[in-house]
Amino acid sequence: MPPIARPRGTNDLLPPDSALRAWVLDTHRQVAEAHGYELIDTPVFEATELYERGTGAGTDVVEKEMFSFTDRGGRGLTLRPEGTPGLLRAVLAAHLDQERRPVRVHFAGPMFRYARPQAGRYHEFWQVDIEAIGERSPALDAEVIEVAWRFYEALRVTGLSLQVNTLGDLDDRLRYRSALVAYYTPLQDRLCADCRRRLGVNPLRLLDCKRDAGLVAGAPEIGPSLSLESRSFFAQVTGFLDAAGIPFRLNPRLVRGLDYYAHTTFELWHESLQGAQNAVGGGGRYDGLAEVLGFPPTPGTGYALGVERTLAVCREQGLGPEPTRDRVVVLSIAEADRRAAAAVARALRGAGIAAVLDISDRRLDRRLSVAARQGARAAVMVGEEEAARGTATWKDLDTGRQQTAEVAEVAVALRRLLAGQ
Ligand code: AMP
């Protein structure tokens, strides 16, 4: 019988690589919390309607990529393809925005999209996310972008390009829509089948088309369709970014074709990622989303960053956590000493020291060199004599210095050693 394989488009997270992801997630949490964002978590599956309305029926995600199913009670459910609709639902259903505005939340978790698997595109992938809900302020849009920027700075990632644009408000977009329809209608015969269909439904989405890139290049930009107010809003966002020393590129082609997106939109691109998958993440303002989900109108802004693509960039650039040597290995000299060794390890853990029990039968010198290679700072040896007297012998694996003492004293000495004193 062939062994059962991992499903297509999924990844196993294995040590030692798992430490890299833990470091990326920890770093994101620290940076987000330093800006006042608090942890939030929501279900991995939600009512399908949440995404049909919240992600938008006209998007590729909803049209082609959802993992949807019917539960035993006949309810339509979907594995979450993105975080924002569920996070906004959770915050507004709990009325958090009535206590304080904005509500600042951060999140990390798996997402599911049924797109053709390839490098940087999986069926299951992780995102880290922040949302600032309840205020319509350009300062908050800039803050959200800054948190993303500071996150990659904290990882020491270089070579990122921040692309920003504005979509204006609903009236601006209606004007822009007309300009796009006027441009594309005479070119209809040259459009791909998808774009011809979208022209009637959602002309902004034509700008996302990779096949009709030549036509996209000649399409009108949103600038002339923007009201004075929208221009001023965007000028404030970019002004805040300048003041924060965050370099950005204005990219008038960066659009989201749904009515509830408004004003600021941005993406972070990385040069080492290939082609269409070169975005590590993106976000923007979604002032109309709450109403679409059936809640009172509530503005919001946020981002989602792809964890696998961020990990790929970290690997490419040789980035990762500082190697830690914050544990000890406890080994028994002979099989008869194993119980005593386990008791010593337990006592050390009780004193706050991470202690790994070595239960192999190999030669002591081999076991000591394996312990050093696996990142132990010291080895604690328990033989017949130590077992009888309630002592242990500990060895500094860097200097080779060795000492026998009562277990409580060994714990004190090891704590000092691990603290670097
Ligand atoms: P989006 O919600 O589509 O704007 O995606 C935000 C980020 O999530 C992207 O920039 C990617 O880094 C990541 N991402 C989106 N879809 C996938 C996928 N299928 N596989 C891996 N990462 C993804």
Side-chain angles (χ1 to χ4, degrees), residues 7-24:
R8 242 164 75 87
T10 62
N11 292 294
D12 293 319
L13 180 68
L14 304 171
D17 214 27
S18 46
L20 186 64
R21 187 174 84 181
W23 173 70
V24 163

Side-chain angles (χ1 to χ4, degrees), residues 82 113 120-122 125 127 256 279-282 304-306 308-309:
E82 64 153 339
R113 292 187 195 173
R121 188 170 286 278
Y122 309 106
F125 60 98
Q127 285 183 341
R256 291 176 176 236
V280 287
L305 309 175
E308 284 74 8
R309 290 188 203 171

Side-chain angles (χ1 to χ4, degrees), residues 9 11 61 65 81-84 111-128 152 256 266-268 273 277-283 303-310:
N11 292 294
V61 169
E65 299 179 358
E82 64 153 339
T84 309
M111 304 290 157
F112 303 86
R113 292 187 195 173
Y114 199 85
R116 196 171 62 79
Q118 51 189 296
R121 188 170 286 278
Y122 309 106
H123 284 176
E124 183 188 28
F125 60 98
W126 276 58
Q127 285 183 341
V128 290
Y152 286 105
R256 291 176 176 236
F266 72 97
E267 277 186 3
L268 284 160
L273 299 171
Q277 267 70 252
N278 72 343
V280 287
Y303 67 61
L305 309 175
V307 172
E308 284 74 8
R309 290 188 203 171
T310 301

